[in-house]
Structure formats: structure tokens, C-alpha cells
Amino acid sequence: MKRFVKLMLPAVLLASSTVLFAEETAASAPAIQPINVVWTLVAAFLVFFMQAGFAMVEVGFTRAKNAGNILMKNLMDFSVGSIVFFILGFGLMFGESIAGFIGGSKFFLSHAGTADGSGLWEYAFWLFQCVFAATAATIVSGAMAERTKFVSYLVYSIIISAIIYPVSGHWIWGGGWLAGLGFIDFAGSTVVHSVGGWAAMVGAIILGPRLGKYGPDGKPKAIPGHNIPLAALGVFILWFGWFGFNAGSTTSGENLSIGFIAVNTNLAAAAGSITAMFTIWIKSGKPDVSMSLNGALAGLVAITAGCAAVSPVSAIIIGLIAGVVVVLAVELFDFVLKIDDPVGAISVHGVCGALGTLLVGLFAEAKYAGEGINGLFFGGGLKLLGIQALGVVLVFLWVVVTMLIVFTIIKHTVGLRVTREEELKGLDIDEHGMEAYSGFQIFKTQ
């Protein structure tokens, strides 16, 4: 009997605490239940794990002599970003709206507390939003890889996490003016991915291409990544984490649509990988590994806006389109615009983020998105498509203009790019005083 009591006591205490929490929450905020807190935190942990995915993708797609530098940038994106998002960013994004443009409260998590369920919920919600902010920041790392000063990258990371991302995020997720128009971006194709992608584009333009990327005739030269298996591991980690990214954006474990959202997420990723593979196969004669991996990411980015608003069939179509577009976009930036993006971040996140947001205006259906919300292909006319296009364009302009100012100031103050000698030797040695692969000769001396 004593043994039975010992075995049952923890379960009884757990059940009692759950009931007490639920009763307390019901008195203050009926929608907040323990399962919602648990689900939101689990999703946040999955999205946090995506930082490892981004790090592996970027390391794998670049050269060994810069691996340590890339890992440091991904580490500091989250570390620095967490602090400034706590101090300023979250309040600008989710604070009480000032004219629909910017938040003006909730700085330092001042609204959270342990007195009741509502206050406790704010801690979970903050963590979930914090890992999203870190995702937007780390996208830029890949496009600016192998030639950026570490200190300059830290300055950029602070600014995007504290101001750039939160302001446009407030317009859409914080009760701002775009949300009032009916703009749909459920989990962040524009809010997160396009913001990071367009910032990456501006940074790569101002920074210039890597040494040896373009010959005297202007033709691009391939600079292969040193570890494709590592890049593939990163993509699988990102795919896994994306289930938390999209389904977790319900912030409700009671919401049965999380399974539906996860299915749409998976289907779009699979479709994107397939069409990217076939597109590059037709164009080059080989089913390129790196492009196929980016195709999966393109499908994931594209479905993120409409994952709760479109059917599974539409999710497949969105993924199929994104897989083709990402290949064409990579070639456009590489061959035509001469923008050196070592990992394809601009194409995957900027272009496909905008694409996915626009496609909501075509494929949204009221039975998923909500009463009266239909895209063009389902009898909704051009209204939703027009709203989506407006949001995409204005977020693009916001990011491009602000990041142009930021990177220009950095360039003319602390400096943006390392020296020629440092770039040839590799950033691991001069920027961090170490090698990621100690004992291997992995850099050129001239």
C-alpha cells in the first residue's frame, strides 16, 4: 500500500497543480490553459533548434576556412538578439499600438508576471516570438558569409532584432495597420523570411562579391561548399523545426488545426524539393544536391504565410511553384544581377517569402482561412491579392531603405568587409584566432 501511495503521489500532485492553474487562469484569461503554454514552449524549442539547422546549412555551403566564423555569427544572432528583443524589440512589436505603426509598451517584459495565468503566459509567448526574431536575423549571415567583419555583423544583428524586424512585425502581427486591412501571414513568410532575405540582399550588395567569384569577363565562378552532408543535415533540422514554426504559430495546444498545418508544411517542402531538383536537372543536366536542398527550404518558406489558409492540394502547388522559382532566382542573382549569395538566402527567404505571401491571395479558402476570406482562384476576386501585394511591397521598401542606411553607416564607421589578406586566409584565423579544422591546411596564402 505504501509503495502504491509513493507511485501515485507525483501524479496526484501534478493533476492538482494543473487544475489549480486552470482554475486560476479561468478567472483571469479563460483562453489560457496549461496545454497552450506547453504547446507554445515545445514549438519555441523546435524553432530554437532551427538555429543549429541554419548554422549547418551555412557552414556546409561555404568554405572550411570560415566555418568557425559562421558558427559564431549564428550563436551571437540568438544571444545578442535575445537581450535586445527583451529590452526593446518585443515592446515595439507587441506593445500597445501607436497609430498602427509601432508598439509602445511591454518593454523588459514589464507586462508579464507570476501572479496569475495571464502573466505567466506572457513568458511563454515572449520566448516563442524571440526565436522567430532570431530566425530573421540569422538569414543574413549566409548571404554575407566569408567576407564580413565580425564586429560589424554584431552591430547589424542588434539593430535588426531591436528595431527593423519588430516594426514591420507590428504592422502585421502586433495589431498594426496591415493586420487591420486583412493581410494574411500566418507564420511569417513576409514577417520573418522576407525581412531577413531583403536585409541579406542589401548587405550582399554593399559588401560586394567574394574574391574570385567573378572573372574579368564578369562571368561567375563556382565556389563550392566544403561539406554537403553537413548542409543536408541542416536542411533536415530546419524541416523538422518548421513544424514548430508553422503549427506552433497557433500558440494553442487546443487548436486541432495544428495537424492540418503540419501536413501543409510537409507537403510544400516535399514538392519544392522535387521541382527544384527537376528544374536544375533540366537546366544543367544533373540533379544538383545543393539546389534540391534549397528547393525544400523554398517550399517551407513559401507555405509559411498560408499554411493555415490553403488546402493540402494548394500547399503542394505552392511548393511546386517555389521549387522552380528558387532555382531561377538563384541564377538571376548570380548571373544577371551579380550579387554573391553563397547559400542562396536571398532567393530562398526573400523571393520565396514574397512569393508565398502573394500566393495566399490566389489559393486562400474561407473554410480554412475564415469566413469570407477567399483568394482569386476561389471566388474572392482581387481584394485579398491586392492586400497581400501591398504588404509585400511596403515591407520590402521598409527593409531595403532602413538596412541601406544601417549597412552604409557601418561601412563608413567600423567597416563592413575584412581585408583581402584576411579573406584569403579565412575569417576563422584573423577574426577568431583559431581554426575550425585544426591541423588541416585549408586556406590560400596568396
Side-chain angles (χ1 to χ4, degrees), residues 96-128:
E96 185 175 349
S97 188
I98 301 174
F101 180 74
I102 197 170
S105 62
K106 300 186 178 181
F107 304 112
F108 291 93
L109 266 180
S110 57
H111 62 300
T114 58
D116 55 32
S118 180
L120 288 166
W121 158 253
E122 294 296 338
Y123 291 111
F125 185 71
W126 178 85
L127 184 62
F128 185 72

Side-chain angles (χ1 to χ4, degrees), residues 271-315:
S273 181
I274 292 168
T275 51
M277 178 191 70
F278 280 114
T279 303
I280 194 63
W281 199 342
I282 292 169
K283 292 179 71 67
S284 70
K286 299 290 183 181
D288 182 77
V289 179
S290 61
M291 201 67 81
S292 302
L293 292 170
N294 267 339
L297 297 181
L300 288 164
V301 169
I303 195 57
T304 296
C307 57
V310 304
S311 71
V313 172
S314 294

Side-chain angles (χ1 to χ4, degrees), residues 39 293 295 321 373:
W39 169 242
L293 292 170
I321 295 171
I373 303 175

Side-chain angles (χ1 to χ4, degrees), residues 76 84 228:
M76 287 299 112
V84 297
I228 294 300

Side-chain angles (χ1 to χ4, degrees), residues 85 114 139 145 157 180 196 232 286 337 398 404:
F85 194 69
T114 58
I139 289 167
S157 189
K286 299 290 183 181
L337 301 178
W398 162 253
L404 185 62

